Amino acid sequence: MKINSPLGNVWLPEVNAVDHPAKAAAADLYIVAVKLWDTADVAAQLQPLITGDTAVLSLQNGVQKDDILQRYLPQQNIIGGVSYIAAAIAEPGVIHHGGKLQKLAFGEYGQPTSARCEAFQQSCQKAGIETDFSDDIALRIWEKFIFLVGFSGTTTLFRSNIGPIRSDPAKRQLFRDAMQEVADVAQAKGISVRPDFAEQLLQFTDTLPADMPSSMKTDLQRGKRLELPWLSGAVVDMAKQLGLAVPANQHIVEQLLPWAMGPASH
């Protein structure tokens, strides 16, 4: 496997891979990094492997990922986490890292840290991965979700990288509105998102490379299934339960729904 990155390329001539977790050696930590629609299947496969202080860390998108894991795994075995990176499969066996952003944030639910989080951080530091503990990991997950919903939704809707979207007034407004709607949903659910957070994210977006795409936009271009139901779709569903209007995300869902399952669905 090869990783192409501005931070340095990596070539791994041999990769130990299995097609089922049960075929691997016992582990202290399992990282869940599949697409969101596979979360339940992976959680069920992990269920017989979890004992004692075994940790399970999801670095997936969305705010429902750990809720799905908890249907199959003990809550005390789950660590909350988010990843910050722009990466994609360029071709089989080749990963392309776009830009220099690479960071993990993680933490225990209900406590500031733990021995297992500290051990994982030490391993990350040895590998040159930037890490950050969070004593409110639920907030961090929602903060990323707010950005990701707007970013993935608009880049996929307009079949565009972020540059043309942030420089066009109408598209930029839709991007901001989509993020603000997620922030409103988060606040209604008791998450302490700052009132100006969507505007801060918009300013942060101006610092990103203009050619930066979202993984959902890349999936659309490659004719793959989209995580739409777990991103803008999840916002629409939660808003309905809360009695909130989310027209920007509703528009994104309506326009992209024909492609949600891949090219065969439209």
Side-chain angles (χ1 to χ4, degrees):
M1 185 179 75
K2 185 178 182 181
I3 301 174
N4 295 324
S5 171
L7 300 177
N9 297 334
V10 177
W11 165 246
L12 302 174
E14 296 183 9
V15 177
N16 294 324
V18 294
D19 57 6
H20 193 287
K23 296 180 181 179
D28 297 322
L29 170 70
Y30 293 94
I31 296 176
V32 179
V34 298
K35 289 292 189 178
L36 287 164
W37 54 79
D38 285 326
T39 308
D41 287 342
V42 168
Q45 292 173 16
L46 287 174
Q47 194 173 42
L49 306 177
I50 305 303
T51 60
D53 199 40
T54 305
V56 178
L57 170 65
S58 167
L59 296 176
Q60 300 164 282
N61 296 326
V63 294
Q64 300 165 319
K65 56 195 180 75
D66 290 342
D67 293 335
I68 297 172
L69 291 179
Q70 289 178 26
R71 297 174 194 167
Y72 299 85
L73 308 174
Q75 183 176 357
Q76 66 268 21
N77 292 98
I78 298 172
I79 297 174
V82 291
S83 63
Y84 304 94
I85 192 170
I89 300 174
E91 58 185 89
V94 180
I95 306 297
H96 173 70
H97 176 202
K100 296 183 178 181
L101 179 64
Q102 53 88 18
K103 183 178 181 179
L104 300 179
F106 49 89
E108 299 282 358
Y109 286 103
Q111 58 179 326
T113 186
S114 65
R116 62 188 184 183
C117 280
E118 291 173 354
F120 179 53
Q121 184 182 45
Q122 291 174 5
S123 296
C124 289
Q125 290 173 339
K126 290 179 181 179
I129 301 172
E130 185 179 352
T131 60
D132 180 26
F133 279 135
S134 174
D135 57 5
D136 191 350
I137 192 61
L139 174 61
R140 292 291 291 272
I141 292 171
W142 269 95
E143 287 179 340
K144 180 186 175 181
F145 186 61
I146 293 168
F147 170 76
L148 186 63
V149 167
F151 180 69
S152 65
T154 53
T155 53
T156 308
L157 175 66
F158 296 117
R159 279 70 165 171
S160 170
N161 295 335
I162 192 59
I165 293 172
R166 69 191 183 197
S167 62
D168 179 275
K171 294 175 181 177
R172 183 182 181 91
Q173 186 63 48
L174 180 65
F175 179 33
R176 188 196 182 285
D177 289 348
M179 292 192 294
Q180 184 60 55
E181 289 173 2
V182 189
D184 292 342
V185 169
Q187 290 170 345
K189 292 179 73 67
I191 305 298
S192 56
V193 176
R194 297 187 301 276
D196 61 344
F197 189 65
E199 185 61 36
Q200 290 181 3
L201 285 176
L202 192 63
Q203 295 174 14
F204 163 74
T205 304
D206 290 332
T207 69
L208 298 175
D211 61 351
M212 184 174 174
S214 68
S215 59
M216 192 164 77
K217 179 239 182 186
T218 301
D219 286 340
L220 176 70
Q221 292 176 322
R222 294 179 177 178
K224 295 185 177 182
R225 188 175 177 180
L226 306 181
E227 289 187 320
L228 180 70
W230 293 268
L231 300 178
S232 287
V235 175
V236 171
D237 291 341
M238 288 185 285
K240 287 180 180 178
Q241 296 173 1
L242 295 165
L244 298 177
V246 287
N249 283 284
Q250 183 72 51
H251 175 69
I252 290 170
V253 170
E254 291 173 353
Q255 295 300 310
L256 292 178
L257 193 58
W259 287 269
M261 297 299 293
S265 63
H266 69 274

